Amino acid sequence: MFWEHIHHADAFRRVGRRESLPAGREIDTLANVALVERGICALATMTPEGNERIYLYFKSGNLVGFLRHVLHRDNYPRAHFYRTRNRVVAKTRVELTLIDKDIFLDLVRRDAGCQRDFTISLAQNLANLMEHSALVSCESAPTRICAMRLEFCEPEGERSVLPACFTQFVISAFVALHKITVAKVLGSLTEAGYIRRTGRRLEVLEPARLTQVVERELCIRY
């Protein structure tokens, strides 16, 4: 995945306001664009049955919630994007800079540096969606799971820990695997000593081994 931080964050901070949200809270992107300062949030759709489907995650340094302000609804009345309940949700506690949508768009038009950051954000989101699609379509279960673990583990002292929001159910839904398959792969990784459970979270003990799995240099039987 691509996680390039924007280079002119201070310009957005000067015209925005700081806000902290707990995990599970929806971010107000109807009137704002958000700069993620800390934490993890996700682009999700709520199905008519009340189930959440996650399409894309965002980490610190990402701009989120701008698409609806660029693609005006009047021009795309039949687009699937507008017929579903799309939202950006905090998956961990997040620190944000919220920027009014009109101020954001004006800044992007006037400031070449902010325009470049906006372009990078668009390209990065597209690249990450394509990367995830390829991962789910082409790779084995261990590769999908190890890639997700490496992507979202966060340093905690000398440890590398996957946030508690990434439960087996969440992992299985995001990488398109049955939860039993996810449990079997995690069991094999644990038995091999590559990961271990620490409370509600999974700690990566051997990131180099997980990288080998992702790069198809190491086979995991499950």
Side-chain angles (χ1 to χ4, degrees), residues 65-83:
F66 51 74
L67 187 59
R68 69 175 66 247
H69 308 308
V70 177
L71 299 178
H72 297 292
R73 182 167 186 161
D74 292 343
N75 297 332
Y76 300 89
R78 302 181 61 188
H80 178 73
F81 176 81
Y82 289 112
R83 297 201 308 273

Side-chain angles (χ1 to χ4, degrees), residues 30-211:
L30 291 176
N32 303 285
V33 175
L35 168 62
V36 183
E37 303 284 3
R38 183 176 298 176
I40 296 173
C41 55
L43 173 65
T45 291
M46 188 63 68
T47 68
E49 297 76 24
N51 299 316
E52 186 181 67
R53 302 287 176 84
I54 294 174
Y55 299 104
L56 189 63
Y57 283 98
F58 306 96
K59 300 198 291 188
S60 60
N62 290 160
L63 285 169
V64 302
F66 51 74
L67 187 59
R68 69 175 66 247
H69 308 308
V70 177
L71 299 178
H72 297 292
R73 182 167 186 161
D74 292 343
N75 297 332
Y76 300 89
R78 302 181 61 188
H80 178 73
F81 176 81
Y82 289 112
R83 297 201 308 273
T84 55
R85 177 70 172 90
N86 292 289
R87 58 184 192 159
V88 180
V89 186
K91 307 311 290 185
T92 66
R93 174 168 286 280
V94 295
E95 298 287 337
L96 307 164
T97 295
L98 291 179
I99 308 133
D100 177 87
K101 62 182 179 63
D102 294 324
I103 294 175
F104 174 84
L105 293 174
D106 181 63
L107 185 60
V108 167
R109 283 191 291 265
R110 290 187 296 101
D111 189 298
C114 292
Q115 187 176 76
R116 177 179 180 275
D117 283 338
F118 176 61
T119 303
I120 289 173
S121 295
L122 281 169
Q124 180 173 263
N125 290 350
L126 175 60
N128 285 346
L129 284 168
M130 294 172 64
E131 179 83 3
H132 181 64
S133 177
L135 182 75
V136 169
S137 301
C138 306
E139 300 295 348
S140 66
T143 296
R144 297 184 212 180
I145 293 169
C146 288
M148 188 172 186
R149 286 216 156 350
L150 291 171
E151 207 69 56
F152 296 105
C153 272
E154 297 182 336
E156 191 174 276
E158 297 182 354
R159 303 186 303 167
S160 182
V161 180
L162 193 69
C165 63
F166 292 105
T167 62
Q168 288 190 20
F169 176 79
V170 169
I171 295 170
S172 65
F174 190 61
V175 298
L177 293 169
H178 196 283
K179 60 183 180 181
I180 294 177
T181 302
V182 173
K184 287 181 178 179
V185 173
L186 294 179
S188 296
L189 294 171
T190 301
E191 289 177 9
Y194 301 158
I195 65 173
R196 73 180 174 196
R197 183 166 293 282
T198 304
R200 294 177 54 208
R201 297 179 297 175
L202 288 170
E203 181 181 354
V204 175
L205 303 176
E206 296 284 349
R209 293 296 189 185
L210 299 192
T211 300

Side-chain angles (χ1 to χ4, degrees), residues 12-33:
F12 292 109
R13 292 185 184 117
R14 282 194 292 270
V15 297
R17 68 182 189 277
R18 197 67 174 254
E19 186 166 315
S20 177
L21 295 177
R25 185 71 62 84
E26 182 174 352
I27 298 168
D28 178 15
T29 57
L30 291 176
N32 303 285
V33 175

